[in-house]
Amino acid sequence: MLDLNQLTVFIRVVDEGSFTAAGKALGMPKSRVSRMVADLEASLGARLLQRTTRQLSMTEVGSAYYSRCRHLVHEILEAHEMISDREGNPQGLLRIAVPMMAGSGVMGHYFARYQARYPDVRLEIIHTDRPVNLIQEGFDLGVYLGDLPDSSLIARTLAESDSVLCAAPSYLARVGRPLHPNDLTQMRCVKIGEGSQPQSYELTHAVSGEVVEVKVEPTISTNSVVAALGSLVQGAGIGDVHYLLAGEQFLNGQLVPLFTDWHLRPRPISLAYPSRQYLPRKVRVFIDFMVEEAQRLERVLDALPTTEEQITAFAKLLRNEERKP
């Protein structure tokens, strides 16, 4: 007879990479973890893991068994958790896929604040710009910029994130501050994305409604937001970033916004999750928490006319959050 506990332990051993790490994650001795996996192998009549003194690897049978069972076990545990935590405190592991851009930004403030509010929930944040299949890869949620890649996902829009054209003070001291978007064609540009084709900026004047589209030849192109931000901070040129997600450099003065009367076309920031009738409490409260924070931030920013004032207010909100339990 299948022992779900043994199967769960086996999957955790593979995920963690060792019996020791799995034992720590599960809160049980290494010897018990090893015994449960051995008992599972005995009941199946097949070796699932190759054990040596230096490494642990799956056999061919073990790999196929893991691939087929991991998702099923995740669904079973999620169903159990959904029932058991309906009235209690959120708990368990919350896995979230986040764009690399957010890895350089302020999302970490919100993750830390959520975890402080719900200490029984453990967060696993995976930053990646590759396409992610939330169901197959066992993610509870994904954070998305712009359109969703999968129409079957259920999404909750948090905000319309304005990209901000910016540059380092050192770069502006060398070449001067541009007065009109057309001046960008004479400046060096750091492009976030692949390919060497021109970077296109579409800006709308906040008062007149005039729309200007400018194409700038990039001097640096990179698909790494971290690398792009590093180049901008070091004075490599101008670029556009989302200050809600990559705003640390604004908050500490390493980057300054340009064209305070002009705005780039915004893109939605969404939380998305697989199409399921029921959600674990840890997911539901995370969605509610992020919507609450986004609405609070939006109320503050909408009342301020300039990007500089918005960034200053944003910094104050973050400092206030960090002082709260």
Side-chain angles (χ1 to χ4, degrees), residues 51-93:
R51 305 158 175 83
T52 68
T53 56
R54 293 189 175 183
Q55 65 179 6
L56 186 72
S57 61
M58 286 186 288
T59 64
E60 183 178 354
V61 172
S63 179
Y65 190 65
Y66 171 83
S67 298
R68 287 177 175 268
C69 293
R70 186 177 189 277
H71 173 62
L72 296 176
V73 170
H74 177 79
E75 291 291 331
I76 293 171
L77 294 177
E78 186 178 79
H80 176 78
E81 186 176 85
M82 182 270 294
I83 297 299
S84 64
D85 74 358
R86 181 171 293 177
E87 300 299 331
N89 292 326
Q91 57 185 308
L93 178 66

Side-chain angles (χ1 to χ4, degrees), residues 176-244:
R177 191 182 185 104
L179 301 177
H180 188 273
N182 288 330
D183 296 338
L184 296 174
T185 59
Q186 306 302 316
M187 307 186 79
R188 301 176 71 84
C189 169
V190 177
K191 174 185 174 181
I192 302 176
E194 297 184 5
S196 58
Q197 61 269 29
Q199 174 70 60
S200 180
Y201 299 120
E202 182 180 309
L203 298 102
T204 302
H205 196 274
V207 178
S208 68
E210 177 187 0
V211 177
V212 174
E213 184 174 355
V214 182
K215 291 187 177 181
V216 185
E217 292 291 338
T219 50
I220 296 177
S221 297
T222 175
N223 63 355
S224 168
V225 175
V226 174
L229 288 172
S231 297
L232 289 171
V233 168
Q234 293 302 315
I238 58 97
D240 68 295
V241 298
H242 291 262
Y243 77 83
L244 285 180

